[in-house]
Amino acid sequence: MGREAEHDFQGLLNKILESGEYSEDDLRKVYRYLSKRTHPDLSGGDGSAFVRLSQFYESAQSALAQRAGEEAEASPGGRPAGSQTESRPAEQSPPGGRTQTGGAEAAGGAEAAGGAGAAGGAGAAGGAEAAGGAGAAGGAGAAALQVDPFALIAEAGFPRLREPRACLYVALRQYFLMGLYNRRLYTSATVRRRAERVTATVLYWAELYSNVFGGVFQAFTGMEFQSLRTSQQVRNYGYGRRLFLDGQRDFFQYQAGGRAGTRSMAAEKLTLARIAVSRSAGRSHPMAGMAAWFLVELAKPPLMIRDI
């Protein structure tokens, strides 16, 4: 991050700390900035700071939702002035009897704001650790959870989004942003609950958009730690994993900006990731399958959704 962007962030953080007021956009900017400095794959830490940051983020989101509800009750029409919240059409109700429970779950831990920023560095985590991480959250059991499929989309900043492909991309992006592919985070019960909710949302939109991706994603979230025999396999797998994570970030940037150069970088990284993982862990490895799915989706026109 450049000096100008660093200065902008410090100004935003000072404004929040001084006034105690923040918007959903402010909150999202702070979370994205700090998550890059606390995520175990980037900082090399044990993930505890990132867990505290995620707990604080959910707590702050819950506070925003509560404040909006109080304003709605206080307004003459039962809705805050200037509110852009829209009622969800009946035809968007989840199929199969899945109940919409709505709202962002609170996780507590506001004191994490200070500790979350402590982890620094930008070293990449390598080795032979598997990129999976939903574990118990994955599989058909997660799909049966009672979730509001629109809640995660709204929390990501897209309250009016309804198209299945776009919603799937947004939910999947949240999965990666929260680091839910990393098993080291799953020692926290809060993270496990969050993973169940996010995974169920991804599977809901996958069911509406693609009859293929649900199985690919379930295999990916159910990956175990990778057992590799030789040091060369370990290096290839670690290289492929880093390329995969970089490639998925470029994929979502392409969906937001539509730049041909970003698409080319995403395609190159995902292709090399698929080759490296296949050579070290086999062609049927779930990460290779996820990389192949991203490559298929790259052939489609970008969504052009800001900040996906």
Side-chain angles (χ1 to χ4, degrees):
M1 177 174 285
R3 291 183 178 179
E4 183 177 351
E6 184 85 24
H7 181 268
D8 290 342
F9 171 77
Q10 292 297 336
L12 171 61
L13 189 59
N14 289 336
K15 183 196 78 171
I16 294 174
L17 293 175
E18 290 173 3
S19 67
E21 297 291 330
Y22 55 90
S23 66
E24 178 69 26
D25 186 58
D26 291 337
L27 184 62
R28 190 162 57 250
K29 287 178 181 177
V30 170
Y31 175 75
R32 287 181 176 178
Y33 178 90
L34 292 179
S35 65
K36 293 177 182 178
R37 283 152 178 75
T38 59
H39 196 287
D41 280 350
L42 300 177
S43 68
D46 61 3
S48 59
F50 182 74
V51 169
R52 294 197 302 273
L53 171 64
S54 298
Q55 290 173 339
F56 172 74
Y57 180 56
E58 289 193 357
S59 178
Q61 282 186 317
S62 179
L64 272 180
Q66 182 177 357
R67 185 176 65 185
E70 292 173 351
E71 291 176 352
E73 292 178 359
S75 63
R79 189 178 189 180
S83 172
Q84 296 183 357
T85 303
E86 63 181 27
S87 59
R88 291 177 184 146
E91 63 270 21
Q92 294 292 346
S93 298
R98 280 181 240 167
T99 305
Q100 296 185 0
T101 57
E105 57 181 343
E111 70 279 0
E129 176 193 3
L145 289 175
Q146 293 182 338
V147 295
D148 178 354
F150 297 99
L152 182 66
I153 310 305
E155 291 164 19
F158 304 97
R160 296 179 180 272
L161 205 59
R162 294 292 182 270
E163 199 272 320
R165 178 193 174 202
C167 289
L168 173 61
Y169 283 12
V170 170
L172 190 59
R173 177 58 169 157
Q174 291 301 104
Y175 172 87
F176 281 104
L177 279 176
M178 294 179 184
L180 298 179
Y181 56 86
N182 192 323
R183 280 189 179 276
R184 284 183 292 179
L185 300 179
Y186 282 69
T187 56
S188 165
T190 299
V191 172
R192 290 195 296 271
R193 289 194 298 270
R194 184 185 307 120
E196 290 176 348
R197 176 172 172 262
V198 174
T199 300
T201 303
V202 171
L203 290 174
Y204 171 86
W205 292 111
E207 182 181 336
L208 295 181
Y209 173 62
S210 168
N211 59 359
V212 173
F213 180 67
V216 173
F217 182 68
Q218 286 182 358
F220 181 78
T221 59
M223 285 194 305
E224 300 294 336
F225 286 100
Q226 191 63 47
S227 177
L228 303 174
R229 296 181 179 179
T230 68
S231 59
Q232 184 62 45
Q233 287 179 322
V234 171
R235 286 194 294 270
N236 283 342
Y237 185 87
Y239 175 63
R241 180 176 186 269
R242 291 192 293 274
L243 283 172
F244 172 79
L245 294 176
D246 285 346
Q248 62 85 17
R249 281 191 287 269
D250 289 340
F251 172 87
F252 290 114
Q253 289 177 4
Y254 172 64
Q255 300 306 320
R259 296 179 180 175
T262 305
R263 180 188 179 280
S264 296
M265 287 192 297
E268 180 179 3
K269 291 174 182 176
L270 290 167
T271 299
L272 291 175
R274 186 183 182 189
I275 293 172
V277 171
S278 296
R279 286 179 176 176
S280 60
R283 293 182 180 180
S284 61
H285 192 275
M287 196 189 310
M290 278 289 288
W293 182 82
F294 275 124
L295 287 168
V296 171
E297 295 298 299
L298 270 177
K300 302 175 183 179
L303 290 176
M304 300 301 290
I305 297 180
R306 180 183 60 85
D307 290 338
I308 188 174

